[in-house]
Amino acid sequence: MAPLPLSVSFDGDITALLLAVDDQDTAEAVGRQIAAHVVGRRVRDRGTPIRVRHDGRVLPPGQRVGEAGVRPLDHVEAFFDEP
């Protein structure tokens, strides 16, 4: 377990944030952490699952971000998974 500072944004938001997560957090957990700062404030909650994209690749919800190749200060984008 190691702290992993990330540049993050949420699709539809106007702001990028610096967020410290744990390298053992899953993509799903990171998405929830990003959403906690944005959804219901600047982005409307759509009630659908939140996914995470890194370097153009959508990460599987259960994949740990450290194992997915996410490195300190990489940019990660969260978004609503629309059917």
Side-chain angles (χ1 to χ4, degrees), residues 8-13 15 31 34-35 38-39 43 50 77-80:
V8 301
S9 62
F10 200 99
D11 184 46
D13 192 13
T15 305
I34 297 169
V38 176
V39 175
V43 174
I50 295 169
E77 180 186 23
F79 61 97
F80 287 111

Side-chain angles (χ1 to χ4, degrees), residues 13-51:
D13 192 13
I14 60 169
T15 305
L17 305 168
L18 181 62
L19 180 67
V21 300
D22 191 283
D23 67 350
Q24 296 299 303
D25 286 345
T26 63
E28 181 179 21
V30 170
R32 284 194 310 266
Q33 290 174 58
I34 297 169
H37 295 279
V38 176
V39 175
R41 297 173 189 215
R42 293 183 302 273
V43 174
R44 180 180 56 85
D45 188 355
R46 296 186 187 159
T48 60
I50 295 169
R51 302 293 304 270

Side-chain angles (χ1 to χ4, degrees), residues 40-72:
R41 297 173 189 215
R42 293 183 302 273
V43 174
R44 180 180 56 85
D45 188 355
R46 296 186 187 159
T48 60
I50 295 169
R51 302 293 304 270
V52 171
R53 183 181 298 117
H54 174 253
D55 283 341
R57 184 173 66 95
V58 177
L59 303 180
Q63 185 174 32
R64 292 185 173 136
V65 291
E67 295 171 355
V70 179
R71 300 288 175 235

